[in-house]
Structures are given as C-alpha cells and as structure tokens.
Amino acid sequence: MNDSGSGVHYYWCTRHHRVETDADVCPARHVLGPYDSAADAEGALQKVRERNEVWEAEDARWAGEGS
C-alpha cells in the first residue's frame, strides 16, 4: 500500500531534488523510482549511497584476492 492508497507512485527527482508523483514526474533520466511512498522516494539517494559503499567494498575485497 502506498501513502495515498490510490496507486500513485513517488519518484526522487535528481534534477529538482524533490519528491515527484505520477502527475508531475520529470523524464526518466532525471528520476529514481518508482517508490510506494514519499518517504521511500526521499530516502532514495541515501539507499544508493549505502548500496554503492557495499558494492565498492566487495569489489575491493575481490580485487585483493587476486594479488
């Protein structure tokens, strides 16, 4: 279920640095999502940072195994 209960999706716009909905969403190249809630969309960049840190650590570990 999402915030509105009406099937609306939420997006984080990297161009405007705000949450957008289906009604006012920027082109796909500028947004992350869709998310089920505005709160999830607001946390999108933090989630990206956390995932990137994990992946970079895994890459570094993997690269270190071969040397």
Side-chain angles (χ1 to χ4, degrees):
M1 183 67 52
N2 58 42
D3 283 350
S4 68
S6 65
V8 173
H9 294 104
Y10 300 85
Y11 305 83
W12 179 256
C13 179
T14 59
R15 183 174 170 197
H16 297 110
H17 307 282
R18 67 179 183 205
V19 173
E20 298 179 344
T21 65
D22 293 323
D24 68 347
V25 67
C26 282
R29 70 177 178 260
H30 297 296
V31 298
L32 300 172
Y35 298 95
D36 289 333
S37 72
D40 288 345
E42 286 178 7
L45 287 179
Q46 181 60 33
K47 182 162 265 188
V48 167
R49 283 185 206 103
E50 290 169 0
R51 288 179 178 169
N52 284 345
E53 288 174 6
V54 169
W55 293 337
E56 288 169 5
E58 289 175 1
D59 286 348
R61 184 186 54 80
W62 184 83
E65 289 179 359
S67 42

